Amino acid sequence: MNLRVATVEYLDGALHLEDDEAVAKYQRAFGRLRSSALPPQQSAELIASIASELEEVNS
């Protein structure tokens, strides 16, 4: 038995989807997000750069 579940969390609860079509939809969406994400090192550098810019603006 291969049970696939997509969990959608929100502020005061969660929704657990078991329908194959719904799970596949979330898997595709997550795959697109993952493929467009920066590598960890580049993400950290971008966050540091933006934080530095915000500090300059707020000084």
Side-chain angles (χ1 to χ4, degrees):
M1 181 174 169
N2 185 13
L3 179 63
R4 298 180 333 156
V5 176
T7 301
V8 180
E9 297 178 350
Y10 47 93
L11 287 177
D12 54 356
L15 177 63
H16 304 284
L17 304 170
E18 297 179 11
D19 176 72
D20 287 340
E21 196 172 311
V23 172
K25 181 179 178 180
Y26 278 89
Q27 284 179 318
R28 287 190 303 272
F30 186 75
R32 287 191 300 270
L33 287 171
R34 186 176 47 221
S35 70
S36 65
L38 292 172
Q41 183 62 37
Q42 283 181 288
S43 293
E45 290 169 1
L46 177 61
I47 292 167
S49 172
I50 292 170
S52 177
E53 289 177 19
L54 288 173
E55 286 178 1
E56 289 177 19
V57 169
N58 292 323
S59 300

